[in-house]
Amino acid sequence: MTATFEPPVDAGQPAFVNLVPDEDLPEEFAAAFLAGVVQGFEEHGGGDGIESDVLITAGRHHIVDSSEYGFKIAGQMAARAAMITAGLLAPQEAHKLTKVHWPAKSRFVGERDARRP
C-alpha cells in the first residue's frame, strides 16, 4: 500500500482518493484503510483536529490473507508515519512503525539503535 498525505485543499473537508482499481484493492479494504487513518490521527494527534487529504496510489489485497482489520491497522500506522514526517510526533515514535517504510524511518531507527548500550 502506498499513500500520500497532504494538507487539505478545502479546510475542514479532507479528501480521500483511491487511484487503485477495485480488482487490486476492493472498496471495503480502501474504506478500512481510511478508517484507520482517521483513527490514527485521533489517537496520536491529541485531539488537535489533524486533517489531511489522502491519496492511495498503489495497493493490493490477497483473496485469502487480507482483512479489513489489517487494512485498518495499516491506516493507523500510515497516519502515525505522516505525523512523524510532518513534525507532529517525536521521531522516536518511528520505532513503533513495524510495517511502514519511508525514507525517514531508517534514519530514526538508526539513531535509536546507536543510543542503545
Side-chain angles (χ1 to χ4, degrees):
M1 183 80 115
T2 303
T4 60
F5 292 77
E6 297 180 4
V9 174
D10 294 326
Q13 297 295 322
F16 177 67
V17 179
N18 177 13
L19 299 179
V20 182
D22 278 349
E23 59 268 10
D24 290 336
L25 184 64
E27 181 57 35
E28 63 267 18
F29 294 138
F33 179 80
L34 173 60
V37 167
V38 170
Q39 185 175 359
F41 281 153
E42 289 173 356
E43 288 177 0
H44 304 294
D48 291 336
I50 296 172
E51 296 177 348
S52 177
D53 286 349
V54 181
L55 176 67
I56 296 178
T57 56
R60 290 203 172 273
H61 80 290
H62 187 273
I63 194 75
V64 174
D65 295 331
S66 291
S67 70
E68 289 181 35
Y69 179 74
F71 278 89
K72 183 177 179 183
I73 297 298
Q76 290 171 339
M77 284 196 244
R80 184 182 295 177
M83 287 188 289
I84 293 168
T85 302
L88 300 173
L89 280 180
Q92 294 78 7
E93 290 288 315
H95 78 281
K96 297 177 183 174
L97 302 172
T98 58
K99 302 289 183 189
V100 175
H101 302 283
W102 91 102
K105 181 181 178 191
S106 59
R107 180 171 53 104
F108 294 138
V109 171
E111 290 172 4
R112 180 199 70 205
D113 292 342
R115 290 191 303 263
R116 289 187 174 168

